[in-house]
Amino acid sequence: MKLQPQLALMFNGNCEEAFRHYERCLGGTITFMLTWADAPSTYAPVPPDWESKIYHATLALGDSAISGADVPPDRYTPPAGFSVTLQMDDPSAADRVFAGLAEGGTIKAFLQETFWAARFGAVVDRFGIEWAVNVDGEPQSGVGGSA
């Protein structure tokens, strides 16, 4: 048996914009995107102005994937109580990814060396999703180390 949790991000009408941004920023590939108009109408009817919104999207990131959808306004609640953590090995790639996620968002912790890692930072992106970027490796300056 293999447990493989599925990460599904819910949006309030801007899933396609978010996933196109994540595709560029994270270097992933959108492998599936279906609108509400193209989904089986008997499953979950939506108002006509919602038909061009995303019913389901998948973004492949290496061996992992993120799913997303636009939740109709009467069922949408803003994301809370979690963050998506990106575990990275390359500090320059982490800098690029963090900067992309921070565009139009709110930085909660600047990407910097910590006592547990070469770099760590946290941001709530412009779509309301909280991300943490963690770069494996020993801190270079001995932050938090013993004397």
Side-chain angles (χ1 to χ4, degrees), residues 54-112:
I54 302 303
Y55 175 80
H56 179 82
T58 302
L59 175 68
L61 298 166
D63 293 344
S64 301
I66 297 173
S67 295
D70 286 317
V71 180
D74 62 332
R75 293 179 262 165
Y76 176 78
T77 56
F82 73 94
S83 66
V84 180
T85 300
L86 300 172
Q87 197 68 33
M88 303 183 74
D89 297 322
D90 180 0
S92 59
D95 290 341
R96 179 185 51 75
V97 166
F98 188 83
L101 292 170
E103 287 175 12
T106 302
I107 294 174
K108 296 182 72 174
F110 286 95
L111 188 63
Q112 60 188 333

